[in-house]
């Protein structure tokens, strides 16, 4: 029996003879359903039509993205540390070539995902590499394919491996998380942020939204919460969810400035 994938968001559902009646991830106001109705595919079909690119971004950091673009179009990040490798965020396509490359790197110690839009085929990845998939417990209701490989973490931070810390920011999703990599940016620190902290096209600022496709902003308290959650950490770079969305330097100040700009736009007297 196939496990169907939603073609709009990439979420995989439990095995079934026929596609699910709907995709709750897309029906939620933070995603969208195509005008012509929901479309479905399978991992087997996706492997025939798509492939992954693996790209070295900086020492110890690789991006893994699908061509042609599929669903939301994010790319995953692979962080290599002396204590093991972590896959940050997930993409729907896992094929033999990608698995071979990751195994040649030494496999995965863990997989951690920022929020439900990138859960995709996380169960396939977790099983393939015998690695726990960490998702925040506050987003438990959005797990469409429950499996023992998924580990729900709770609270505000979680040490993943030496130098790798999950930080719950909230905002876009209650359990929205980012990954702090102390050894990133040549030891100056990097934040892997998914779209919990969204790098904007000119890369001089970041932004924060409750719903990106429907252009619904976050409330002031949530903007302060996201910026406050990462404030204790040292980081010079931010890697967002797409290949070209990164802040190259001075990223901690960029987050502060961006939160202030956002709050001014909302008419808040001060950040
Ligand atoms: Zn969907
Ligand atoms: Zn999202």
């Amino acid at each position: 029996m196939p496990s169907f994938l939603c073609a709009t968001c990439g979420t995989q559902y439990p095995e079934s003879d026929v596609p699910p009646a709907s995709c709750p991830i897309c029906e939620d106001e933070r995603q969208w359903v195509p005008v012509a109705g929901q479309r479905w595919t399978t991992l087997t079909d996706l492997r025939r039509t798509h492939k992954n690119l693996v790209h070295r971004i900086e020492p110890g950091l690789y991006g893994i993205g699908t061509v042609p673009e599929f669903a939301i179009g994010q790319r995953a990040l692979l962080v290599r540390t002396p204590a093991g490798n972590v896959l940050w965020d997930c993409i729907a396509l896992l094929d033999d070539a990608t698995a071979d490359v990751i195994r040649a790197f030494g496999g995965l110690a863990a997989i951690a995902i920022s929020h439900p839009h990138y859960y995709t085929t996380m169960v396939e990845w977790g099983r393939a590499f015998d690695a726990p998939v960490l998702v925040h417990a506050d987003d438990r209701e959005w797990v469409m394919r429950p499996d023992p490989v998924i580990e729900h973490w709770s609270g505000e931070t979680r040490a993943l491996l030496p130098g790798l810390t999950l930080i719950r920011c909230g905002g876009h999703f209650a359990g929205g998380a980012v990954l702090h990599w102390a050894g990133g940016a040549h030891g100056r620190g990097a934040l892997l942020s998914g779209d919990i902290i969204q790098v904007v096209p000119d890369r001089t600022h970041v932004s924060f939204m409750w719903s990106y496709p429907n252009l619904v902003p976050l409330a002031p308290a949530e903007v302060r919460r996201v910026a406050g959650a990462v404030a204790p950490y040292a980081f010079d770079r931010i890697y967002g969810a797409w290949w070209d969305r990164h802040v190259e330097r001075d990223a901690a100040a960029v987050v502060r400035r961006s939160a202030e700009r956002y709050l001014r736009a909302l008419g808040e007297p001060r950040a």
Side-chain angles (χ1 to χ4, degrees):
M1 258 197 299
S3 294
F4 284 93
L5 311 188
C6 169
T8 309
C9 72
T11 300
Q12 188 181 40
Y13 284 77
E15 293 180 340
S16 61
D17 281 328
V18 294
S22 66
C23 173
I25 301 282
C26 285
E27 297 206 332
D28 175 59
E29 288 187 338
R30 286 163 285 189
Q31 247 290 110
W32 59 287
V33 177
V35 173
Q38 197 54 272
R39 291 176 303 109
W40 301 91
T41 185
T42 64
L43 195 46
T44 307
D45 284 343
L46 196 60
R47 284 171 178 149
R48 289 195 195 105
T49 52
H50 292 66
K51 61 186 176 184
N52 285 337
L53 283 181
V54 179
H55 185 68
R56 185 178 184 269
I57 297 172
E58 65 164 73
L61 185 70
Y62 293 78
I64 307 172
T66 301
V67 287
E69 194 174 288
F70 175 70
I72 295 175
Q74 78 278 8
R75 56 105 184 82
L77 292 168
L78 179 75
V79 189
R80 301 187 73 186
T81 80
N85 303 326
V86 168
L87 185 77
W88 169 248
D89 277 332
C90 203
I91 55 174
L93 178 59
L94 172 59
D95 60 9
D96 289 340
T98 310
D100 286 349
V101 169
I102 293 174
R103 288 203 184 93
F105 283 170
L108 297 176
I111 297 166
I113 306 183
S114 60
H115 74 297
H117 291 152
Y118 304 156
Y119 287 175
T120 60
T121 59
M122 60 180 173
V123 170
E124 305 280 348
W125 289 78
R127 288 180 182 173
F129 297 102
D130 196 21
V133 180
L134 283 97
V135 304
H136 198 278
D138 285 1
D139 292 334
R140 189 189 293 264
E141 68 187 289
W142 300 107
V143 173
M144 296 294 122
R145 188 188 182 194
D147 189 272
V149 81
I150 298 169
E151 189 181 321
H152 295 280
W153 68 280
S154 55
E156 302 308 311
T157 62
R158 164 75 178 258
L160 207 50
L161 289 178
L164 288 176
T165 308
L166 287 170
I167 306 164
R168 188 266 283 276
C169 291
H172 180 36
F173 273 82
V178 300
L179 180 65
H180 180 253
W181 175 30
H186 305 280
R188 298 188 302 276
L191 214 55
L192 282 45
S193 70
D195 64 3
I196 301 306
I197 296 175
Q198 175 83 279
V199 179
V200 298
D202 74 6
R203 304 182 195 173
T204 65
H205 284 75
V206 297
S207 196
F208 325 89
M209 293 284 267
W210 186 75
S211 174
Y212 290 95
N214 300 312
L215 305 174
V216 183
L218 276 184
E222 284 294 304
V223 174
R224 290 190 182 96
R225 180 197 166 89
V226 175
V230 300
Y233 295 84
F235 56 95
D236 201 41
R237 284 188 189 157
I238 295 176
Y239 291 103
W242 283 268
W243 289 112
D244 57 348
R245 297 298 182 96
H246 54 87
V247 175
E248 191 66 22
R249 60 182 58 84
D250 212 17
V254 165
V255 171
R256 280 196 300 275
R257 272 206 311 275
S258 301
E260 285 163 11
R261 178 170 88 166
Y262 199 106
L263 291 164
R264 274 199 306 278
L266 293 177
E268 290 289 299
R270 57 179 186 80

Coordinates of all heavy atoms in Angstrom, one line a residue, residues 162-223:
P162 N 26.9 18.2 21.5 CA 27.7 19.3 21.9 C 27.8 20.4 20.8 O 28.0 20.1 19.6 CB 29.1 18.7 22.1 CG 28.7 17.2 22.4 CD 27.5 16.9 21.6
G163 N 27.4 21.6 21.1 CA 27.4 22.7 20.2 C 26.2 22.9 19.3 O 26.1 23.8 18.5
L164 N 25.2 22.0 19.5 CA 23.9 22.1 18.8 C 22.8 22.2 19.8 O 22.6 21.2 20.5 CB 23.8 20.9 17.9 CG 24.7 20.9 16.6 CD1 24.5 19.6 15.9 CD2 24.4 22.1 15.7
T165 N 22.0 23.2 19.7 CA 20.9 23.5 20.7 C 19.7 23.8 20.0 O 19.7 24.8 19.2 CB 21.3 24.6 21.7 OG1 22.6 24.3 22.3 CG2 20.3 24.7 22.8
L166 N 18.6 23.1 20.3 CA 17.3 23.5 19.7 C 16.7 24.6 20.6 O 16.7 24.5 21.8 CB 16.4 22.3 19.7 CG 16.6 21.2 18.7 CD1 15.8 20.0 18.9 CD2 16.3 21.8 17.3
I167 N 16.1 25.6 20.0 CA 15.5 26.7 20.7 C 14.1 26.9 20.2 O 13.9 27.1 19.1 CB 16.3 28.1 20.5 CG1 17.8 27.9 20.8 CG2 15.6 29.2 21.3 CD1 18.6 29.1 20.2
R168 N 13.2 26.8 21.2 CA 11.8 27.0 20.8 C 11.5 28.5 20.7 O 11.7 29.2 21.7 CB 10.8 26.3 21.8 CG 9.4 26.4 21.3 CD 8.6 27.5 21.9 NE 8.2 27.3 23.2 CZ 7.1 26.6 23.6 NH1 6.3 26.2 22.7 NH2 6.9 26.5 24.9
C169 N 11.1 29.0 19.6 CA 10.8 30.4 19.4 C 9.3 30.7 19.4 O 8.8 31.8 19.7 CB 11.4 30.9 18.1 SG 13.2 31.0 18.1
G170 N 8.5 29.7 19.0 CA 7.0 30.0 18.8 C 6.8 30.8 17.6 O 7.6 30.7 16.6
G171 N 5.8 31.7 17.6 CA 5.6 32.6 16.4 C 4.7 31.9 15.4 O 3.5 31.6 15.6
H172 N 5.3 31.6 14.3 CA 4.7 30.9 13.1 C 3.9 29.7 13.6 O 2.7 29.4 13.1 CB 5.7 30.6 12.1 CG 5.3 29.9 10.8 ND1 4.1 30.2 10.2 CD2 5.9 29.0 10.0 CE1 4.0 29.5 9.1 NE2 5.1 28.7 9.0
F173 N 4.4 28.9 14.4 CA 3.8 27.7 15.1 C 4.1 27.8 16.6 O 5.2 28.2 16.9 CB 4.2 26.4 14.5 CG 3.4 26.0 13.3 CD1 3.7 26.5 12.0 CD2 2.3 25.1 13.4 CE1 2.9 26.2 10.9 CE2 1.6 24.8 12.3 CZ 1.8 25.3 11.0
A174 N 3.3 27.2 17.4 CA 3.5 27.3 18.9 C 4.8 26.6 19.2 O 5.6 27.0 20.1 CB 2.4 26.6 19.6
G175 N 5.1 25.5 18.5 CA 6.4 24.8 18.8 C 7.5 25.2 17.8 O 8.5 24.5 17.7
G176 N 7.4 26.2 17.1 CA 8.3 26.7 16.1 C 9.7 26.8 16.7 O 9.9 27.4 17.7
A177 N 10.7 26.1 16.1 CA 12.0 26.0 16.7 C 13.1 26.4 15.7 O 12.9 26.3 14.5 CB 12.3 24.6 17.2
V178 N 14.3 26.8 16.2 CA 15.5 27.1 15.4 C 16.6 26.2 16.0 O 16.5 25.8 17.2 CB 15.8 28.6 15.3 CG1 14.7 29.4 14.7 CG2 16.2 29.1 16.7
L179 N 17.7 26.0 15.2 CA 18.8 25.3 15.7 C 20.0 26.2 15.8 O 20.4 26.8 14.8 CB 19.1 24.1 14.8 CG 20.3 23.2 15.2 CD1 20.1 22.5 16.5 CD2 20.6 22.2 14.1
H180 N 20.6 26.3 17.0 CA 21.8 27.1 17.2 C 23.0 26.2 17.0 O 23.1 25.1 17.7 CB 21.9 27.8 18.6 CG 23.1 28.6 18.8 ND1 24.1 28.2 19.6 CD2 23.5 29.8 18.2 CE1 25.1 29.1 19.5 NE2 24.7 30.1 18.7
W181 N 23.9 26.6 16.1 CA 25.1 25.8 15.8 C 26.3 26.7 16.3 O 26.7 27.6 15.6 CB 25.2 25.5 14.4 CG 26.4 24.8 13.9 CD1 27.2 23.9 14.6 CD2 27.0 24.9 12.6 NE1 28.2 23.5 13.8 CE2 28.1 24.0 12.5 CE3 26.6 25.6 11.4 CZ2 28.9 23.9 11.4 CZ3 27.4 25.4 10.3 CH2 28.5 24.6 10.3
A182 N 26.9 26.4 17.4 CA 27.9 27.2 18.0 C 29.2 27.2 17.1 O 29.9 28.2 17.0 CB 28.3 26.7 19.4
G183 N 29.5 26.1 16.4 CA 30.7 26.0 15.6 C 30.5 26.6 14.2 O 31.4 26.7 13.4
G184 N 29.3 27.1 13.9 CA 29.0 27.6 12.5 C 29.7 29.0 12.3 O 30.2 29.6 13.3
A185 N 29.8 29.4 11.1 CA 30.4 30.7 10.7 C 31.8 30.7 11.3 O 32.2 31.7 11.9 CB 29.5 31.8 11.1
H186 N 32.6 29.6 11.1 CA 33.9 29.6 11.6 C 34.1 29.9 13.0 O 35.0 30.6 13.5 CB 34.8 30.5 10.7 CG 34.7 30.3 9.2 ND1 35.4 29.2 8.6 CD2 33.9 30.9 8.3 CE1 35.0 29.2 7.3 NE2 34.2 30.2 7.1
G187 N 33.1 29.4 13.8 CA 33.2 29.5 15.3 C 32.5 30.7 15.8 O 32.4 30.9 17.0
R188 N 31.9 31.6 14.9 CA 31.2 32.8 15.4 C 29.7 32.4 15.7 O 29.0 33.2 16.3 CB 31.3 33.9 14.4 CG 32.8 34.4 14.2 CD 32.8 35.6 13.4 NE 32.2 35.5 12.0 CZ 32.8 35.0 11.0 NH1 34.1 34.5 11.1 NH2 32.2 34.9 9.8
G189 N 29.3 31.2 15.3 CA 28.0 30.8 15.6 C 27.0 31.1 14.5 O 27.1 32.1 13.7
A190 N 26.1 30.1 14.3 CA 25.1 30.3 13.2 C 23.7 29.8 13.7 O 23.7 28.9 14.6 CB 25.5 29.5 12.0
L191 N 22.7 30.4 13.2 CA 21.3 30.0 13.5 C 20.7 29.4 12.3 O 20.7 30.0 11.2 CB 20.6 31.3 13.9 CG 19.5 31.2 15.0 CD1 20.0 30.6 16.3 CD2 18.9 32.6 15.3
L192 N 20.2 28.2 12.4 CA 19.5 27.6 11.3 C 18.0 27.8 11.6 O 17.5 27.2 12.6 CB 19.8 26.1 11.2 CG 21.2 25.7 10.6 CD1 22.3 26.6 11.0 CD2 21.5 24.3 10.8
S193 N 17.3 28.6 10.8 CA 16.0 29.1 11.3 C 14.8 28.7 10.6 O 13.7 29.2 11.0 CB 16.2 30.7 11.2 OG 16.1 31.1 9.9
G194 N 14.9 27.9 9.5 CA 13.7 27.5 8.8 C 12.9 28.8 8.4 O 13.6 29.7 7.9
D195 N 11.6 28.8 8.5 CA 10.9 30.1 8.3 C 10.3 30.6 9.6 O 9.4 31.4 9.6 CB 9.9 30.1 7.2 CG 8.8 29.1 7.4 OD1 8.7 28.5 8.4 OD2 7.9 29.0 6.5
I196 N 10.9 30.1 10.7 CA 10.5 30.7 12.0 C 11.1 32.1 12.2 O 10.4 33.0 12.6 CB 11.0 29.8 13.2 CG1 10.4 28.4 13.0 CG2 10.7 30.4 14.5 CD1 8.9 28.3 12.9
I197 N 12.3 32.3 11.7 CA 12.9 33.6 11.5 C 13.2 33.6 10.0 O 14.1 32.9 9.5 CB 14.2 33.8 12.3 CG1 13.8 33.8 13.8 CG2 14.9 35.1 11.9 CD1 15.0 33.8 14.7
Q198 N 12.5 34.4 9.2 CA 12.5 34.3 7.7 C 13.5 35.4 7.2 O 13.3 36.6 7.5 CB 11.1 34.6 7.2 CG 11.1 34.7 5.7 CD 11.0 33.3 5.0 OE1 12.0 32.6 4.8 NE2 9.8 32.9 4.7
V199 N 14.5 35.0 6.5 CA 15.5 35.9 5.9 C 14.8 36.5 4.6 O 14.3 35.8 3.8 CB 16.8 35.2 5.5 CG1 17.7 36.2 4.8 CG2 17.4 34.6 6.7
V200 N 14.7 37.8 4.6 CA 14.1 38.5 3.4 C 15.0 38.6 2.2 O 16.2 38.4 2.4 CB 13.5 39.9 3.8 CG1 12.5 39.7 4.9 CG2 14.6 40.8 4.3
P201 N 14.5 38.9 1.0 CA 15.3 38.7 -0.2 C 16.6 39.6 -0.2 O 17.6 39.1 -0.7 CB 14.4 39.2 -1.3 CG 13.0 38.8 -0.8 CD 13.1 39.1 0.7
D202 N 16.6 40.8 0.4 CA 17.9 41.6 0.3 C 18.9 41.2 1.4 O 20.0 41.7 1.5 CB 17.6 43.1 0.3 CG 17.1 43.6 1.7 OD1 17.2 42.9 2.7 OD2 16.8 44.8 1.8
R203 N 18.5 40.2 2.3 CA 19.3 39.6 3.3 C 19.8 40.6 4.4 O 20.7 40.3 5.1 CB 20.5 38.9 2.7 CG 20.2 37.9 1.6 CD 21.4 37.2 1.1 NE 21.2 36.5 -0.1 CZ 22.1 35.9 -0.8 NH1 23.4 36.1 -0.5 NH2 21.9 35.3 -1.9
T204 N 19.3 41.8 4.4 CA 19.7 42.8 5.4 C 18.8 42.7 6.6 O 19.1 43.3 7.7 CB 19.7 44.2 4.9 OG1 18.3 44.6 4.6 CG2 20.5 44.4 3.7
H205 N 17.6 42.0 6.5 CA 16.7 41.9 7.6 C 16.1 40.5 7.6 O 16.3 39.7 6.6 CB 15.5 42.9 7.5 CG 15.9 44.3 7.8 ND1 16.7 45.1 7.0 CD2 15.7 45.1 8.9 CE1 16.9 46.3 7.6 NE2 16.3 46.3 8.8
V206 N 15.4 40.2 8.7 CA 14.6 39.0 8.7 C 13.2 39.4 9.0 O 12.9 40.6 9.3 CB 15.1 38.0 9.9 CG1 16.5 37.5 9.6 CG2 15.0 38.7 11.2
S207 N 12.2 38.5 8.9 CA 10.9 38.8 9.3 C 10.2 37.6 10.0 O 10.8 36.5 10.1 CB 10.1 39.3 8.1 OG 8.9 40.0 8.6
F208 N 9.0 37.8 10.4 CA 8.3 36.8 11.2 C 6.8 36.9 10.8 O 6.3 38.0 10.8 CB 8.4 37.2 12.7 CG 9.7 37.8 13.2 CD1 9.9 39.1 13.1 CD2 10.7 36.9 13.6 CE1 11.1 39.7 13.6 CE2 12.0 37.5 14.0 CZ 12.2 38.9 14.0
M209 N 6.2 35.8 10.5 CA 4.8 35.8 10.1 C 4.1 34.7 10.7 O 4.6 33.6 11.0 CB 4.6 35.7 8.6 CG 5.2 36.9 7.8 SD 4.1 38.4 7.9 CE 3.1 38.1 6.4
W210 N 2.8 34.9 11.0 CA 1.9 33.8 11.4 C 1.6 32.9 10.2 O 1.7 31.7 10.2 CB 0.7 34.3 12.1 CG -0.1 33.2 12.6 CD1 0.2 32.4 13.8 CD2 -1.3 32.6 12.1 NE1 -0.8 31.5 14.0 CE2 -1.7 31.5 13.0 CE3 -2.1 32.9 11.0 CZ2 -2.8 30.8 12.7 CZ3 -3.2 32.1 10.7 CH2 -3.6 31.1 11.6
S211 N 1.2 33.6 9.1 CA 1.0 32.8 7.8 C 1.7 33.5 6.6 O 1.3 34.7 6.3 CB -0.5 32.7 7.5 OG -0.8 32.2 6.2
Y212 N 2.6 32.8 6.0 CA 3.3 33.4 4.9 C 2.4 33.4 3.6 O 2.3 34.5 3.0 CB 4.6 32.7 4.6 CG 5.6 32.9 5.7 CD1 5.8 32.1 6.8 CD2 6.4 34.1 5.7 CE1 6.7 32.3 7.8 CE2 7.3 34.4 6.7 CZ 7.5 33.5 7.8 OH 8.3 33.7 8.8
P213 N 1.8 32.3 3.2 CA 1.0 32.4 2.0 C -0.2 33.3 2.1 O -0.5 33.9 1.1 CB 0.6 30.9 1.7 CG 0.8 30.2 3.0 CD 1.9 30.9 3.8
N214 N -0.7 33.5 3.3 CA -1.9 34.3 3.4 C -1.6 35.7 4.0 O -2.5 36.5 4.3 CB -3.0 33.6 4.3 CG -3.3 32.3 3.6 OD1 -3.6 32.3 2.4 ND2 -3.3 31.2 4.3
L215 N -0.3 36.0 4.2 CA 0.2 37.3 4.6 C -0.5 37.8 5.9 O -1.0 38.9 5.9 CB -0.1 38.3 3.4 CG 0.6 37.9 2.1 CD1 0.2 38.9 1.0 CD2 2.1 37.8 2.2
V216 N -0.5 36.9 6.9 CA -1.1 37.3 8.2 C 0.1 37.4 9.2 O 0.9 36.5 9.4 CB -2.0 36.2 8.7 CG1 -2.6 36.7 10.0 CG2 -3.1 35.9 7.7
P217 N 0.3 38.7 9.7 CA 1.5 38.9 10.5 C 1.3 38.3 11.9 O 0.3 37.8 12.3 CB 1.5 40.4 10.6 CG 0.1 40.9 10.4 CD -0.6 39.9 9.5
L218 N 2.4 38.4 12.7 CA 2.4 38.0 14.1 C 2.0 39.2 15.0 O 2.3 40.3 14.7 CB 3.8 37.5 14.5 CG 4.2 36.1 14.2 CD1 5.6 35.9 14.8 CD2 3.3 35.1 14.8
A219 N 1.5 38.8 16.1 CA 1.2 39.9 17.2 C 2.5 40.3 17.8 O 3.5 39.6 17.8 CB 0.2 39.3 18.2
P220 N 2.5 41.6 18.3 CA 3.7 42.1 18.9 C 4.3 41.2 20.0 O 5.5 41.1 20.0 CB 3.2 43.5 19.6 CG 2.0 43.8 18.8 CD 1.4 42.6 18.3
A221 N 3.5 40.6 20.9 CA 4.1 39.8 21.9 C 4.8 38.6 21.3 O 5.9 38.2 21.9 CB 3.0 39.3 22.9
E222 N 4.3 38.1 20.2 CA 5.0 36.9 19.6 C 6.3 37.3 18.9 O 7.3 36.6 18.9 CB 4.1 36.3 18.6 CG 3.0 35.4 19.2 CD 3.6 34.2 19.9 OE1 4.3 33.4 19.3 OE2 3.3 34.1 21.1
V223 N 6.3 38.5 18.3 CA 7.6 39.0 17.7 C 8.6 39.2 18.8 O 9.8 38.8 18.6 CB 7.3 40.4 17.0 CG1 8.7 41.0 16.5 CG2 6.4 40.2 15.8

